[in-house]
Amino acid sequence: MIGAIAGDIIGSPHEFDPIKTTDFPLFSAPSRFTDDTVLTIATAEAILTGGDYTRLYQSYGRRYPDAGYGGRFIHWIYEPEPRPYNSWGNGSAMRVSPIGFAFNSIEEVLAEARNSAAVTHNHPEGIKGAQATALAVYLARMGADKHTLKAEITARFGYNLDRTLDQIRPGYVFNESCRQTVPEALIAFLESDAFEDAVRKAVSLGGDSDTLACITGAVAQAHYGVPPSIIAETRSRLPDDLLHLLDRFAARFPAAAV
């Protein structure tokens, strides 16, 4: 889970100032956690406590109202009787990584990813993006090699993972859909050779960079681990309440910590 949060923070300066290169400062003054981190932590708390996803997403969203949520979600968090709004956006995928670290079968991962998405992102593409991301984290955590992971995600979800970043990058622009975020984030992981390389490649696509890097970072953590220096810098940019929950989750699911 720390890999997703690191990716979010690393990608944040470029969300609305896209770059098409891997050569950029990994952390800089504008690097900050966004809604990706806030809702990832909310998902982790739901798993730890058996809490309700709707209640926790609303609670965390209200606690951090300026984290950069989508327009529909920011209204949803204040609704007295919130209902899913058929979103196909990448918000379902950005917050789902704790599920890949916490559950111990493909069936459990897919079911819980659906549950976490469906409270807001109940469109089939929103569900699919969450499931694909959580499953990729789970497979990487369980030691699947990249060929196996790619084949499994392709077979289950129909994503085209045969493209290269060099093919994608020139025409790729900011896109909030799962359909045009999750496959690209997974390709960044598949082409990488280390955690930092994976996140840099995700940001270099020039799209919704914090979410791309959040998704890539989650899978890359499960496969490579996260360098201690990146963990330390990431933790230094989080408030105490988010750190506390992060540490509680890591104590129960140690793979999520490194």
Side-chain angles (χ1 to χ4, degrees):
M1 185 168 80
I2 190 69
I5 295 170
D8 174 39
I9 293 172
I10 291 166
S12 62
H14 307 290
E15 181 177 11
F16 301 111
D17 185 20
I19 55 174
K20 297 285 186 177
T21 177
T22 58
D23 184 14
F24 60 88
L26 199 62
F27 293 95
S28 59
S31 303
R32 65 179 186 90
F33 71 90
T34 77
D35 55 331
D36 300 46
T37 291
V38 173
L39 297 177
T40 294
I41 295 290
T43 299
E45 181 167 335
I47 294 167
L48 281 174
T49 64
D52 176 70
Y53 285 112
T54 296
R55 182 184 65 80
L56 284 165
Y57 291 156
Q58 284 195 310
S59 173
Y60 274 82
R62 293 175 186 181
R63 191 187 312 172
Y64 291 97
D66 300 319
Y69 309 102
R72 185 65 188 86
F73 186 85
I74 195 68
H75 291 290
W76 179 88
I77 63 176
Y78 292 106
E79 290 177 2
E81 296 183 7
R83 299 179 183 277
Y85 47 92
N86 203 38
S87 175
W88 37 253
N90 56 28
S92 61
M94 74 186 189
R95 68 196 187 201
V96 78
S97 65
I99 291 169
F101 286 107
F103 291 87
N104 292 312
S105 73
I106 289 176
E107 293 73 22
E108 288 178 308
V109 167
L110 294 178
E112 196 65 19
R114 173 182 288 275
N115 292 341
S116 73
V119 298
T120 51
H121 293 60
N122 57 326
H123 187 282
E125 289 294 334
I127 300 289
K128 184 166 81 170
Q131 289 182 319
T133 301
L135 182 58
V137 172
Y138 169 78
L139 292 171
R141 173 189 142 220
M142 298 303 289
D145 61 29
K146 289 183 179 180
H147 175 78
T148 301
L149 188 152
K150 177 182 176 181
E152 185 73 19
I153 298 298
T154 300
R156 286 183 179 272
F157 303 105
Y159 288 147
N160 179 6
L161 302 182
D162 288 329
R163 297 166 296 156
T164 68
L165 295 179
D166 286 343
Q167 290 171 333
I168 296 166
R169 190 179 289 110
Y172 191 71
V173 295
F174 188 95
N175 192 297
E176 293 182 334
S177 71
C178 276
R179 186 171 58 85
Q180 291 184 272
T181 302
V182 175
E184 288 76 9
L186 294 178
I187 291 168
F189 160 70
L190 291 169
E191 287 195 17
S192 68
D193 57 23
F195 177 85
E196 181 177 333
D197 182 55
V199 171
R200 286 185 179 277
K201 282 181 162 69
V203 173
S204 80
L205 287 172
D208 188 358
S209 59
D210 60 329
T211 296
L212 284 162
C214 177
I215 295 168
T216 301
V219 184
Q221 176 194 348
H223 184 77
Y224 300 115
V226 184
S229 60
I230 293 179
I231 292 176
E233 186 63 37
T234 297
R235 290 179 61 89
S236 75
R237 294 169 187 262
L238 296 177
D240 288 345
D241 62 325
L242 299 188
L243 279 173
H244 176 68
L245 202 290
L246 177 65
D247 289 341
R248 283 180 58 201
F249 191 82
R252 183 165 169 188
F253 305 106
V258 295

